[in-house]
Amino acid sequence: AQSVTQLGSHVSVSEGALVLLRCNYSSSVPPYLFWYVQYPNQGLQLLLKYTSAATLVKGINGFEAEFKKSETSFHLTKPSAHMSDAAEYFCAVKGTDKLIFGTGTRLQVFP
Amino acid sequence: KAGVTQTPRYLIKTRGQQVTLSCSPISGHRSVSWYQQTPGQGLQFLFEYFSETQRNKGNFPGRFSGRQFSNSRSEMNVSTLELGDSALYLCASSLEGARVNKNIQYFGAGTRLSVL
């Protein structure tokens, strides 16, 4: 069965600092992985996806993630945080008939 | 192209009542999935409908049901509401259905249900 684990329920960074949100997956088959972002009182917006093509995936808003099979990881990064990046971020793995989500990481950005 | 539309955005009900939530998928999408989001349990899969057929159901009691119409719009119904049903209910639409690995799910803004 597939699962994802997000390390750190809260991450705080200063504006302009590197953002690193961690996600580790467990899957018995080659995984399809996703990062979604949720702003307050909104639904989920797809940031990026890994579907077994390039291991470095670029998404919207300057985010990217690298698939590392040896580490079973799919961490999300952004070189320079912006105040507007403050939100909750969810890593997800494709299950047989559904998306399986991690518990989420709330990102705070301080001026 | 319009995104996924969920109505209403907010609902307040009392215990024992029933509620119906609506989801209009992106034009051309035939699959609609429903998820429940709570602070304690996170995002949990409820069910998926594809071409008017329920294809998969999560681990929820029978009080939770849904249907899909020929125009792909979907409704979710919860009967005999309990306090624990308070949650954000998210609908996601996709083109090919959740069984397709590369299929992407696009989410609506959700319906926030409060049960008093």
Side-chain angles (χ1 to χ4, degrees):
Chain A
Q2 290 96 336
S3 67
V4 288
T5 302
Q6 291 185 243
L7 298 174
S9 58
H10 290 82
V11 170
S12 298
V13 299
S14 299
E15 194 172 20
L18 170 72
V19 175
L20 171 61
L21 305 182
R22 300 177 186 274
C23 173
N24 288 88
Y25 69 90
S26 174
S27 179
S28 55
V29 297
Y32 291 86
L33 296 160
F34 306 82
W35 275 99
Y36 283 87
V37 61
Q38 186 176 35
Y39 297 101
N41 298 316
Q42 294 189 28
L44 302 176
Q45 180 183 7
L46 180 68
L47 275 176
L48 48 80
K49 62 185 186 295
Y50 169 75
T51 56
S52 75
T55 56
L56 182 62
V57 181
K58 293 189 184 299
I60 62 171
N61 302 339
F63 284 93
E64 63 182 36
E66 186 172 9
F67 174 75
K68 291 187 177 180
K69 185 178 179 181
S70 60
E71 299 176 9
T72 61
S73 69
F74 189 57
H75 301 333
L76 182 71
T77 60
K78 182 174 180 178
S80 177
H82 193 273
M83 296 295 289
S84 60
D85 295 326
E88 189 152 22
Y89 293 79
F90 292 91
C91 179
V93 64
K94 170 72 173 58
T96 304
D97 289 298
K98 60 191 176 187
L99 288 174
I100 300 164
F101 288 90
T103 51
T105 297
R106 186 168 298 279
L107 175 66
Q108 285 185 302
V109 182
F110 293 101
Chain B
K1 208 177 214 183
V4 180
T5 303
Q6 291 189 247
T7 56
R9 289 293 312 277
Y10 302 92
L11 267 177
I12 299 175
K13 293 285 186 179
T14 56
R15 279 179 298 173
Q17 287 188 309
Q18 68 96 26
V19 67
T20 299
L21 314 181
S22 179
C23 172
S24 293
I26 293 170
S27 178
H29 285 194
R30 294 193 294 166
S31 167
V32 172
S33 297
W34 289 88
Y35 294 82
Q36 182 197 61
Q37 185 179 22
T38 60
Q41 300 298 318
L43 282 150
Q44 294 195 295
F45 172 76
L46 279 156
F47 29 65
E48 185 209 6
Y49 285 87
F50 185 86
S51 294
E52 301 180 66
T53 301
Q54 186 182 90
R55 291 175 106 181
N56 192 25
K57 186 170 165 54
N59 189 25
F60 279 82
R63 300 184 297 106
F64 291 81
S65 63
R67 59 178 176 169
Q68 187 179 34
F69 302 94
S70 58
N71 62 358
S72 294
R73 188 178 71 87
S74 177
E75 288 182 347
M76 191 192 99
N77 187 75
V78 188
S79 62
T80 319
L81 284 165
E82 301 177 0
L83 294 178
D85 297 333
S86 295
L88 180 66
Y89 291 89
L90 293 165
C91 161
S93 86
S94 60
L95 186 62
E96 298 166 310
R99 291 180 181 175
V100 177
N101 282 333
K102 294 185 179 182
N103 184 63
I104 296 172
Q105 294 190 18
Y106 297 92
F107 285 80
T111 294
R112 185 165 297 281
L113 172 64
S114 298
V115 182
L116 307 177

mmCIF file of all heavy atoms in Angstrom, chain A residues 13-45:
data_model
loop_
_atom_site.group_PDB
_atom_site.id
_atom_site.type_symbol
_atom_site.label_atom_id
_atom_site.label_comp_id
_atom_site.label_asym_id
_atom_site.label_seq_id
_atom_site.Cartn_x
_atom_site.Cartn_y
_atom_site.Cartn_z
ATOM 1 N N VAL A 13 9.974 30.368 7.971
ATOM 2 C CA VAL A 13 11.151 30.917 7.297
ATOM 3 C C VAL A 13 10.997 32.427 7.201
ATOM 4 O O VAL A 13 9.893 32.971 7.289
ATOM 5 C CB VAL A 13 11.342 30.324 5.885
ATOM 6 C CG1 VAL A 13 11.533 28.814 5.953
ATOM 7 C CG2 VAL A 13 10.191 30.695 4.977
ATOM 8 N N SER A 14 12.095 33.086 6.998
ATOM 9 C CA SER A 14 12.066 34.519 6.734
ATOM 10 C C SER A 14 11.871 34.761 5.251
ATOM 11 O O SER A 14 12.255 33.922 4.416
ATOM 12 C CB SER A 14 13.375 35.174 7.187
ATOM 13 O OG SER A 14 13.559 35.000 8.575
ATOM 14 N N GLU A 15 11.280 35.880 4.930
ATOM 15 C CA GLU A 15 11.114 36.241 3.523
ATOM 16 C C GLU A 15 12.487 36.286 2.857
ATOM 17 O O GLU A 15 13.440 36.846 3.410
ATOM 18 C CB GLU A 15 10.429 37.603 3.411
ATOM 19 C CG GLU A 15 9.923 37.918 2.024
ATOM 20 C CD GLU A 15 9.093 39.181 1.985
ATOM 21 O OE1 GLU A 15 9.214 40.005 2.913
ATOM 22 O OE2 GLU A 15 8.301 39.343 1.033
ATOM 23 N N GLY A 16 12.589 35.643 1.706
ATOM 24 C CA GLY A 16 13.850 35.582 0.983
ATOM 25 C C GLY A 16 14.691 34.358 1.296
ATOM 26 O O GLY A 16 15.659 34.064 0.595
ATOM 27 N N ALA A 17 14.325 33.615 2.323
ATOM 28 C CA ALA A 17 15.075 32.416 2.700
ATOM 29 C C ALA A 17 14.602 31.217 1.898
ATOM 30 O O ALA A 17 13.532 31.219 1.288
ATOM 31 C CB ALA A 17 14.924 32.138 4.192
ATOM 32 N N LEU A 18 15.435 30.169 1.948
ATOM 33 C CA LEU A 18 15.106 28.922 1.258
ATOM 34 C C LEU A 18 13.933 28.243 1.953
ATOM 35 O O LEU A 18 13.859 28.165 3.183
ATOM 36 C CB LEU A 18 16.320 27.993 1.285
ATOM 37 C CG LEU A 18 16.094 26.562 0.822
ATOM 38 C CD1 LEU A 18 15.904 26.514 -0.697
ATOM 39 C CD2 LEU A 18 17.249 25.665 1.249
ATOM 40 N N VAL A 19 13.025 27.704 1.138
ATOM 41 C CA VAL A 19 11.927 26.894 1.658
ATOM 42 C C VAL A 19 12.227 25.430 1.356
ATOM 43 O O VAL A 19 12.560 25.086 0.214
ATOM 44 C CB VAL A 19 10.588 27.280 0.995
ATOM 45 C CG1 VAL A 19 9.473 26.334 1.470
ATOM 46 C CG2 VAL A 19 10.229 28.728 1.314
ATOM 47 N N LEU A 20 12.125 24.592 2.373
ATOM 48 C CA LEU A 20 12.306 23.154 2.197
ATOM 49 C C LEU A 20 11.209 22.447 2.980
ATOM 50 O O LEU A 20 11.163 22.511 4.207
ATOM 51 C CB LEU A 20 13.676 22.696 2.699
ATOM 52 C CG LEU A 20 13.896 21.168 2.769
ATOM 53 C CD1 LEU A 20 13.765 20.528 1.396
ATOM 54 C CD2 LEU A 20 15.254 20.848 3.388
ATOM 55 N N LEU A 21 10.325 21.771 2.259
ATOM 56 C CA LEU A 21 9.256 20.992 2.878
ATOM 57 C C LEU A 21 9.492 19.532 2.516
ATOM 58 O O LEU A 21 9.628 19.195 1.342
ATOM 59 C CB LEU A 21 7.882 21.459 2.384
ATOM 60 C CG LEU A 21 7.585 22.953 2.554
ATOM 61 C CD1 LEU A 21 6.178 23.260 2.055
ATOM 62 C CD2 LEU A 21 7.762 23.395 3.978
ATOM 63 N N ARG A 22 9.487 18.679 3.548
ATOM 64 C CA ARG A 22 9.911 17.300 3.357
ATOM 65 C C ARG A 22 8.762 16.330 3.171
ATOM 66 O O ARG A 22 7.729 16.430 3.846
ATOM 67 C CB ARG A 22 10.760 16.850 4.547
ATOM 68 C CG ARG A 22 12.019 17.681 4.758
ATOM 69 C CD ARG A 22 12.780 17.240 5.989
ATOM 70 N NE ARG A 22 13.903 18.131 6.272
ATOM 71 C CZ ARG A 22 15.110 17.997 5.733
ATOM 72 N NH1 ARG A 22 15.356 16.987 4.908
ATOM 73 N NH2 ARG A 22 16.059 18.849 6.041
ATOM 74 N N CYS A 23 8.958 15.404 2.250
ATOM 75 C CA CYS A 23 7.973 14.368 1.992
ATOM 76 C C CYS A 23 8.705 13.069 1.668
ATOM 77 O O CYS A 23 9.569 13.041 0.795
ATOM 78 C CB CYS A 23 7.067 14.757 0.821
ATOM 79 S SG CYS A 23 5.920 13.451 0.292
ATOM 80 N N ASN A 24 8.372 12.015 2.388
ATOM 81 C CA ASN A 24 8.882 10.685 2.079
ATOM 82 C C ASN A 24 7.710 9.779 1.723
ATOM 83 O O ASN A 24 6.638 9.877 2.309
ATOM 84 C CB ASN A 24 9.654 10.111 3.265
ATOM 85 C CG ASN A 24 10.982 10.796 3.452
ATOM 86 O OD1 ASN A 24 11.084 11.810 4.140
ATOM 87 N ND2 ASN A 24 12.010 10.253 2.821
ATOM 88 N N TYR A 25 7.926 8.921 0.774
ATOM 89 C CA TYR A 25 6.837 8.074 0.313
ATOM 90 C C TYR A 25 7.156 6.602 0.551
ATOM 91 O O TYR A 25 8.308 6.215 0.727
ATOM 92 C CB TYR A 25 6.568 8.313 -1.181
ATOM 93 C CG TYR A 25 7.680 7.805 -2.072
ATOM 94 C CD1 TYR A 25 7.671 6.500 -2.570
ATOM 95 C CD2 TYR A 25 8.749 8.625 -2.414
ATOM 96 C CE1 TYR A 25 8.692 6.028 -3.367
ATOM 97 C CE2 TYR A 25 9.779 8.162 -3.213
ATOM 98 C CZ TYR A 25 9.748 6.866 -3.692
ATOM 99 O OH TYR A 25 10.768 6.404 -4.476
ATOM 100 N N SER A 26 6.123 5.817 0.536
ATOM 101 C CA SER A 26 6.241 4.370 0.582
ATOM 102 C C SER A 26 5.342 3.819 -0.507
ATOM 103 O O SER A 26 4.149 4.152 -0.557
ATOM 104 C CB SER A 26 5.813 3.830 1.949
ATOM 105 O OG SER A 26 5.788 2.424 1.943
ATOM 106 N N SER A 27 5.924 3.021 -1.389
ATOM 107 C CA SER A 27 5.125 2.486 -2.487
ATOM 108 C C SER A 27 5.755 1.209 -3.002
ATOM 109 O O SER A 27 6.978 1.152 -3.189
ATOM 110 C CB SER A 27 5.028 3.521 -3.609
ATOM 111 O OG SER A 27 4.287 3.008 -4.694
ATOM 112 N N SER A 28 4.932 0.229 -3.266
ATOM 113 C CA SER A 28 5.423 -1.044 -3.788
ATOM 114 C C SER A 28 5.550 -1.015 -5.308
ATOM 115 O O SER A 28 6.083 -1.943 -5.908
ATOM 116 C CB SER A 28 4.476 -2.169 -3.373
ATOM 117 O OG SER A 28 3.162 -1.874 -3.799
ATOM 118 N N VAL A 29 5.065 0.033 -5.912
ATOM 119 C CA VAL A 29 5.164 0.206 -7.368
ATOM 120 C C VAL A 29 5.755 1.590 -7.618
ATOM 121 O O VAL A 29 5.779 2.426 -6.715
ATOM 122 C CB VAL A 29 3.781 0.086 -8.030
ATOM 123 C CG1 VAL A 29 3.215 -1.315 -7.817
ATOM 124 C CG2 VAL A 29 2.826 1.140 -7.509
ATOM 125 N N PRO A 30 6.250 1.825 -8.830
ATOM 126 C CA PRO A 30 6.758 3.180 -9.119
ATOM 127 C C PRO A 30 5.700 4.216 -8.800
ATOM 128 O O PRO A 30 4.576 4.128 -9.297
ATOM 129 C CB PRO A 30 7.069 3.106 -10.616
ATOM 130 C CG PRO A 30 7.397 1.670 -10.844
ATOM 131 C CD PRO A 30 6.492 0.890 -9.934
ATOM 132 N N PRO A 31 6.040 5.185 -7.975
ATOM 133 C CA PRO A 31 5.009 6.111 -7.493
ATOM 134 C C PRO A 31 4.748 7.263 -8.445
ATOM 135 O O PRO A 31 5.617 7.673 -9.211
ATOM 136 C CB PRO A 31 5.611 6.630 -6.191
ATOM 137 C CG PRO A 31 7.087 6.657 -6.471
ATOM 138 C CD PRO A 31 7.344 5.463 -7.368
ATOM 139 N N TYR A 32 3.536 7.763 -8.375
ATOM 140 C CA TYR A 32 3.193 9.052 -8.966
ATOM 141 C C TYR A 32 2.935 9.993 -7.795
ATOM 142 O O TYR A 32 2.096 9.714 -6.944
ATOM 143 C CB TYR A 32 1.971 8.935 -9.869
ATOM 144 C CG TYR A 32 2.271 8.151 -11.120
ATOM 145 C CD1 TYR A 32 2.182 6.763 -11.141
ATOM 146 C CD2 TYR A 32 2.681 8.800 -12.288
ATOM 147 C CE1 TYR A 32 2.485 6.046 -12.286
ATOM 148 C CE2 TYR A 32 2.970 8.081 -13.438
ATOM 149 C CZ TYR A 32 2.875 6.711 -13.425
ATOM 150 O OH TYR A 32 3.176 6.006 -14.555
ATOM 151 N N LEU A 33 3.673 11.083 -7.757
ATOM 152 C CA LEU A 33 3.672 11.953 -6.582
ATOM 153 C C LEU A 33 3.245 13.366 -6.948
ATOM 154 O O LEU A 33 3.517 13.846 -8.051
ATOM 155 C CB LEU A 33 5.078 11.991 -5.967
ATOM 156 C CG LEU A 33 5.577 10.647 -5.423
ATOM 157 C CD1 LEU A 33 7.084 10.647 -5.292
ATOM 158 C CD2 LEU A 33 4.925 10.343 -4.084
ATOM 159 N N PHE A 34 2.618 14.025 -5.999
ATOM 160 C CA PHE A 34 2.071 15.356 -6.222
ATOM 161 C C PHE A 34 2.335 16.235 -4.996
ATOM 162 O O PHE A 34 2.397 15.745 -3.865
ATOM 163 C CB PHE A 34 0.559 15.291 -6.451
ATOM 164 C CG PHE A 34 0.135 14.348 -7.548
ATOM 165 C CD1 PHE A 34 0.004 12.994 -7.320
ATOM 166 C CD2 PHE A 34 -0.134 14.840 -8.816
ATOM 167 C CE1 PHE A 34 -0.385 12.123 -8.328
ATOM 168 C CE2 PHE A 34 -0.526 13.981 -9.837
ATOM 169 C CZ PHE A 34 -0.646 12.628 -9.591
ATOM 170 N N TRP A 35 2.463 17.524 -5.252
ATOM 171 C CA TRP A 35 2.408 18.515 -4.198
ATOM 172 C C TRP A 35 1.252 19.456 -4.503
ATOM 173 O O TRP A 35 1.133 19.976 -5.610
ATOM 174 C CB TRP A 35 3.701 19.332 -4.114
ATOM 175 C CG TRP A 35 4.789 18.705 -3.294
ATOM 176 C CD1 TRP A 35 5.865 18.004 -3.748
ATOM 177 C CD2 TRP A 35 4.919 18.752 -1.870
ATOM 178 N NE1 TRP A 35 6.641 17.599 -2.697
ATOM 179 C CE2 TRP A 35 6.092 18.055 -1.531
ATOM 180 C CE3 TRP A 35 4.161 19.331 -0.844
ATOM 181 C CZ2 TRP A 35 6.534 17.908 -0.209
ATOM 182 C CZ3 TRP A 35 4.594 19.189 0.465
ATOM 183 C CH2 TRP A 35 5.767 18.486 0.770
ATOM 184 N N TYR A 36 0.414 19.664 -3.474
ATOM 185 C CA TYR A 36 -0.687 20.611 -3.562
ATOM 186 C C TYR A 36 -0.492 21.684 -2.494
ATOM 187 O O TYR A 36 0.082 21.436 -1.436
ATOM 188 C CB TYR A 36 -2.029 19.912 -3.306
ATOM 189 C CG TYR A 36 -2.568 19.095 -4.449
ATOM 190 C CD1 TYR A 36 -2.203 17.763 -4.619
ATOM 191 C CD2 TYR A 36 -3.479 19.638 -5.358
ATOM 192 C CE1 TYR A 36 -2.723 17.004 -5.658
ATOM 193 C CE2 TYR A 36 -4.007 18.879 -6.396
ATOM 194 C CZ TYR A 36 -3.613 17.575 -6.534
ATOM 195 O OH TYR A 36 -4.136 16.827 -7.575
ATOM 196 N N VAL A 37 -1.038 22.865 -2.762
ATOM 197 C CA VAL A 37 -1.018 23.950 -1.791
ATOM 198 C C VAL A 37 -2.451 24.359 -1.492
ATOM 199 O O VAL A 37 -3.324 24.323 -2.375
ATOM 200 C CB VAL A 37 -0.203 25.163 -2.298
ATOM 201 C CG1 VAL A 37 -0.791 25.742 -3.581
ATOM 202 C CG2 VAL A 37 -0.115 26.243 -1.224
ATOM 203 N N GLN A 38 -2.692 24.699 -0.234
ATOM 204 C CA GLN A 38 -4.023 25.140 0.180
ATOM 205 C C GLN A 38 -3.896 26.464 0.918
ATOM 206 O O GLN A 38 -3.291 26.529 1.982
ATOM 207 C CB GLN A 38 -4.689 24.094 1.081
ATOM 208 C CG GLN A 38 -6.124 24.415 1.440
ATOM 209 C CD GLN A 38 -6.800 23.320 2.252
ATOM 210 O OE1 GLN A 38 -6.176 22.656 3.076
ATOM 211 N NE2 GLN A 38 -8.077 23.102 2.004
ATOM 212 N N TYR A 39 -4.473 27.499 0.346
ATOM 213 C CA TYR A 39 -4.527 28.802 1.002
ATOM 214 C C TYR A 39 -5.761 28.843 1.895
ATOM 215 O O TYR A 39 -6.716 28.088 1.680
ATOM 216 C CB TYR A 39 -4.553 29.913 -0.038
ATOM 217 C CG TYR A 39 -3.304 29.944 -0.885
ATOM 218 C CD1 TYR A 39 -3.301 29.399 -2.170
ATOM 219 C CD2 TYR A 39 -2.115 30.476 -0.398
ATOM 220 C CE1 TYR A 39 -2.155 29.403 -2.953
ATOM 221 C CE2 TYR A 39 -0.959 30.479 -1.171
ATOM 222 C CZ TYR A 39 -0.992 29.936 -2.440
ATOM 223 O OH TYR A 39 0.143 29.928 -3.197
ATOM 224 N N PRO A 40 -5.780 29.706 2.884
ATOM 225 C CA PRO A 40 -6.911 29.747 3.817
ATOM 226 C C PRO A 40 -8.252 29.846 3.109
ATOM 227 O O PRO A 40 -8.416 30.631 2.174
ATOM 228 C CB PRO A 40 -6.606 31.001 4.647
ATOM 229 C CG PRO A 40 -5.124 31.122 4.604
ATOM 230 C CD PRO A 40 -4.720 30.663 3.237
ATOM 231 N N ASN A 41 -9.174 29.021 3.551
ATOM 232 C CA ASN A 41 -10.545 29.016 3.029
ATOM 233 C C ASN A 41 -10.621 28.708 1.538
ATOM 234 O O ASN A 41 -11.552 29.155 0.856
ATOM 235 C CB ASN A 41 -11.230 30.353 3.310
ATOM 236 C CG ASN A 41 -11.354 30.616 4.794
ATOM 237 O OD1 ASN A 41 -11.716 29.722 5.558
ATOM 238 N ND2 ASN A 41 -11.008 31.814 5.210
ATOM 239 N N GLN A 42 -9.653 27.959 1.052
ATOM 240 C CA GLN A 42 -9.677 27.564 -0.348
ATOM 241 C C GLN A 42 -9.450 26.074 -0.491
ATOM 242 O O GLN A 42 -9.125 25.377 0.474
ATOM 243 C CB GLN A 42 -8.616 28.344 -1.137
ATOM 244 C CG GLN A 42 -8.892 29.835 -1.212
ATOM 245 C CD GLN A 42 -7.944 30.524 -2.174
ATOM 246 O OE1 GLN A 42 -7.459 29.931 -3.128
ATOM 247 N NE2 GLN A 42 -7.693 31.796 -1.915
ATOM 248 N N GLY A 43 -9.614 25.589 -1.692
ATOM 249 C CA GLY A 43 -9.360 24.181 -1.970
ATOM 250 C C GLY A 43 -7.884 23.944 -2.228
ATOM 251 O O GLY A 43 -7.042 24.767 -1.891
ATOM 252 N N LEU A 44 -7.594 22.811 -2.839
ATOM 253 C CA LEU A 44 -6.212 22.439 -3.116
ATOM 254 C C LEU A 44 -5.835 22.840 -4.534
ATOM 255 O O LEU A 44 -6.582 22.594 -5.476
ATOM 256 C CB LEU A 44 -6.030 20.928 -2.959
ATOM 257 C CG LEU A 44 -6.376 20.335 -1.595
ATOM 258 C CD1 LEU A 44 -6.231 18.822 -1.624
ATOM 259 C CD2 LEU A 44 -5.492 20.924 -0.523
ATOM 260 N N GLN A 45 -4.651 23.413 -4.661
ATOM 261 C CA GLN A 45 -4.150 23.802 -5.973
ATOM 262 C C GLN A 45 -2.900 22.985 -6.269
ATOM 263 O O GLN A 45 -1.994 22.900 -5.441
ATOM 264 C CB GLN A 45 -3.826 25.296 -5.989
ATOM 265 C CG GLN A 45 -3.292 25.792 -7.327
ATOM 266 C CD GLN A 45 -2.922 27.265 -7.297
ATOM 267 O OE1 GLN A 45 -2.934 27.909 -6.247
ATOM 268 N NE2 GLN A 45 -2.606 27.814 -8.451
#
